């Protein structure tokens, strides 16, 4: 598998080519589907049957790909990566009384792994739009959806879903998009192998999984944070027509991964909640 158009044309997706491409990775198992409603939904079904840590679900096409808060994620066949990984507590974090930050961290793990891959393997300059998007040239190339499975207050397992637009065919119609979209191929300038990209991202998830609490993880995340030093507006919910909940200068991340903002009155505010939207107002 080389990033070469003639080989790209030959890239066939089936159970055996997937297994070959992912050989040697510490997966707990793999399920491949040419067409599926949603890899996160399938991972949840697999969890019911006892999916192990790092079980992988991958689809060539999603018919009901999920975004956050009931939004949808567009995944046409042959153009994108859509996959989900199962995480079992104890394997990736020590269960704490308040596990919600762990889910946010898992989401960051996905964004950091994709970002790291795009930098190291493709020489690109991606950024992380807090909390869960990866941008190229300020357009969304990847979305991350971390979902928890709870028993009462206890996090039983988590599912990390990642969608990456690889070729231009992956792009959703621009109408109704919350944020402009792009694909890896557009920034890279030539075709690339989806299988190879999948393996590269999984390798970096493995790498960063054991380093979530290290300064290196925090530093990488913050160094690639989009809109740092810019004035931004934060919105709750999807509607960008409503007035923003908060506006301020984006200073960076605190030690927990919450945003640090400087408000107009000079005060510093931390924002940790998940459902916020960012819009750059103007460059400073
Ligand atoms: C996300 O939600 O960005 C999380 C997307 C996670 C998708 C993966 S694919 C594998 C796994 N299985 C699933 O079912 N889901 C995960 P959010 O921040 O809510 O963004 C959703 C919004 O992004 C939509 O409302 C659209 O405006 C926009 N969108 C949809 N498809 C897109 C695409 N392919 N590229 C760029 N933007 C898209």
């Amino acid at each position: 598998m080389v990033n070469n158009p003639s080989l790209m044309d030959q890239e066939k997706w089936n159970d055996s080519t997937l297994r070959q491409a992912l050989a040697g990775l510490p997966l707990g198992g793999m399920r491949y589907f040419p067409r599926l409603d949603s890899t996160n939904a399938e991972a949840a079904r697999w969890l019911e049957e006892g999916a192990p840590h790092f079980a992988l679900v991958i689809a060539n096409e999603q018919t009901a790909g999920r975004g956050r808060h009931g939004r949808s994620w567009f995944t046409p066949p042959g153009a994108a990566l859509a996959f989900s990984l199962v995480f079992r507590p104890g394997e990736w974090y020590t269960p704490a009384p308040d596990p919600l930050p762990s889910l946010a961290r898992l989401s960051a793990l996905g964004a950091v792994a994709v970002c790291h891959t795009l930098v190291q393997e493709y020489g690109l300059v991606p950024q992380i739009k807090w909390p869960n998007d990866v941008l190229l040239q300020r357009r969304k190339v990847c979305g991350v959806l971390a979902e928890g499975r709870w028993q009462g207050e206890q996090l039983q397992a988590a599912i990390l879903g990642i969608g990456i637009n690889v070729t231009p065919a992956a792009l959703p119609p621009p109408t109704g998009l919350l944020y402009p979209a792009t694909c890896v191929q557009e920034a890279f300038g030539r075709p690339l192998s989806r299988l190879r990209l999948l393996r590269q991202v999984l390798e970096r998830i493995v790498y960063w999984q054991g380093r979530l609490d290290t300064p290196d993880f925090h530093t990488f995340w913050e160094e690639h944070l989009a809109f740092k030093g810019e004035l931004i507006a934060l919105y709750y919910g999807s509607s960008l027509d409503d007035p923003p909940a908060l506006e301020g200068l984006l200073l960076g991340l605190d030690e927990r991964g919450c945003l640090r903002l400087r408000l107009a009155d000079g005060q510093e505010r931390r924002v940790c909640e998940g459902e916020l939207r960012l819009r750059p107002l103007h460059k400073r």
Side-chain angles (χ1 to χ4, degrees):
M1 280 181 295
V2 180
N3 289 323
N4 163 321
S6 56
L7 289 180
M8 270 283 301
D9 296 341
Q10 294 162 19
E11 185 172 289
K12 293 273 179 290
W13 273 40
N14 57 44
D15 204 67
S16 125
T17 54
L18 264 277
R19 278 183 203 284
Q20 213 181 330
L22 304 182
L25 289 172
L27 297 177
M30 194 212 51
R31 287 184 178 176
Y32 165 65
F33 299 83
R35 195 162 196 250
L36 185 66
D37 53 352
S38 144
T39 57
N40 266 37
E42 176 60 25
R45 292 189 286 265
W46 194 356
L47 265 177
E48 297 290 324
E49 302 161 21
H53 182 64
F54 236 58
L56 173 72
V57 178
I58 168 129
N60 190 38
E61 175 186 6
Q62 291 188 120
T63 54
R66 304 208 288 243
R68 293 175 305 154
H69 302 274
R71 293 191 287 261
S72 58
W73 185 259
F74 183 68
T75 317
L81 286 179
F83 61 94
S84 301
L85 277 168
V86 168
F87 284 77
R88 293 281 187 184
E91 303 272 0
W92 59 287
Y93 82 101
T94 316
D98 174 14
L100 272 176
S102 308
L103 271 190
R105 221 131 238 252
L106 195 59
S107 192
L109 167 64
V112 162
V114 171
C115 201
H116 196 193
T117 303
L118 296 178
V119 173
Q120 279 199 325
E121 304 283 356
Y122 300 88
L124 301 176
V125 190
Q127 289 190 305
I128 297 172
K129 175 172 162 285
W130 189 90
N132 69 325
D133 296 340
V134 180
L135 309 180
L136 279 172
Q137 292 151 352
R138 292 169 89 95
R139 288 179 290 154
K140 181 161 170 170
V141 70
C142 161
V144 178
L145 177 66
E147 295 181 299
R149 212 177 78 134
W150 306 85
Q151 196 161 53
E153 303 265 288
Q154 276 228 289
L155 186 61
Q156 294 293 301
I159 295 167
L160 174 62
I162 299 184
I164 307 176
N165 300 327
V166 181
T167 77
L171 300 194
T175 46
L177 270 189
L178 286 172
Y179 206 81
T182 190
C183 63
V184 181
Q185 188 178 307
E186 193 175 315
F188 187 51
R190 56 188 191 274
L192 58 138
S193 156
R194 281 187 301 146
L195 283 180
R196 190 179 164 105
L197 176 63
L198 172 64
R199 186 187 174 95
Q200 291 163 339
V201 173
L202 289 170
E203 281 171 351
R204 279 161 185 84
I205 292 175
V206 172
Y207 174 84
W208 286 111
Q209 174 190 219
R211 294 174 170 81
L212 288 184
D213 292 322
T214 64
D216 282 359
F217 181 76
H218 189 274
T219 303
F220 187 94
W221 187 6
E222 190 168 42
E223 272 176 0
H224 292 86
L225 196 64
F227 314 138
K228 219 169 16 169
E230 294 181 43
L231 281 174
I232 56 144
L234 291 154
Y235 295 82
Y236 292 90
S238 296
S239 174
L240 298 174
D241 300 330
D242 296 338
L246 216 54
E247 288 180 357
L249 184 72
L250 182 52
L251 300 174
L253 295 173
D254 74 3
E255 61 294 341
R256 294 174 61 210
C258 300
L259 282 187
R260 290 170 47 234
L261 290 186
R262 169 93 57 222
L263 305 185
D265 62 8
Q267 281 188 32
E268 192 177 316
R269 177 79 69 87
R270 296 185 181 212
V271 183
C272 303
E273 288 153 73
E275 186 42 32
L276 296 164
R277 304 208 69 82
L278 291 165
R279 272 282 182 274
L281 294 177
H282 59 73
K283 237 182 157 82
R284 246 201 152 191

